[in-house]
Amino acid sequence: MQRKLRTACRLTRAEWGAFLPAWVLLLWVDLGLRLRPFPRLQAWAAPKATAYSHAVSEQAALAEIRLVQAQVNRAARNHLYPMTCLRRSLVSQRMLARRGIPTALRLGVQKEAGALKAHAWLEHEGEAVGEAEDLEEKYYNL
């Protein structure tokens, strides 16, 4: 607990500005996945490009993507219960869309030891963000 408090005290204003909304949105998305049809939640996570359109340089976009994903992952690790990759991806997509950074949600499956395993991730400009390089080789993209 002390380690978590020390870590929280070291967060910058920008990190807090991403962490707190991420924590709340994770709960919101979890509830939405339980109560709403998936296409409706997906449309909420990725609003039309014109909704939040403002110019963002590619370098600034990559910095924002790293910040948002780090804080969404931190919020997921420190949540009430485990948050899956689908929940994290939808929250990241929504937060990035609000910053004018378009992303695409990708869903993939793979068969591992006779069991079906699924994963969700985001792509920006055709590249998986915050994922292993061999991701697309491991998962059959749906």
Side-chain angles (χ1 to χ4, degrees):
M1 182 69 163
Q2 285 182 343
R3 185 179 64 82
K4 287 186 178 191
L5 287 172
R6 279 194 303 269
T7 301
C9 289
R10 285 186 292 225
L11 292 180
T12 66
R13 186 179 203 142
E15 289 169 332
W16 274 110
F19 174 82
L20 292 174
W23 198 94
V24 172
L25 286 172
L26 282 165
L27 204 54
W28 178 257
V29 165
D30 182 67
L31 185 63
L33 285 169
R34 295 169 193 270
L35 300 175
R36 294 290 200 193
F38 181 72
R40 193 164 173 184
L41 189 61
Q42 190 177 16
W44 169 83
K48 297 203 181 333
T50 57
Y52 299 107
S53 61
H54 55 280
V56 178
S57 72
E58 192 58 28
Q59 193 172 15
L62 293 175
E64 281 295 312
I65 289 169
R66 282 191 296 275
L67 171 73
V68 166
Q69 284 202 313
Q71 298 314 311
V72 168
N73 289 335
R74 177 175 278 142
R77 283 191 311 271
N78 294 288
H79 222 286
L80 303 173
Y81 45 87
M83 294 292 169
T84 64
C85 55
L86 178 59
R87 287 156 176 79
R88 292 190 316 265
S89 294
L90 288 168
V91 168
S92 295
Q93 188 173 35
R94 174 68 179 195
M95 291 176 70
L96 291 168
R98 292 195 57 110
R99 288 166 168 77
I101 302 168
T103 57
L105 178 67
R106 298 290 181 239
L107 304 172
V109 293
Q110 78 175 144
K111 197 168 187 177
E112 187 176 279
L116 200 59
K117 184 177 174 185
H119 186 55
W121 68 93
L122 292 179
E123 286 184 356
H124 174 71
E125 302 288 327
E127 296 289 324
V129 291
E131 299 288 340
E133 288 184 24
D134 64 344
L135 177 74
E136 292 183 7
E137 295 170 9
K138 291 171 77 174
Y139 288 94
Y140 175 74
N141 201 354
L142 299 176

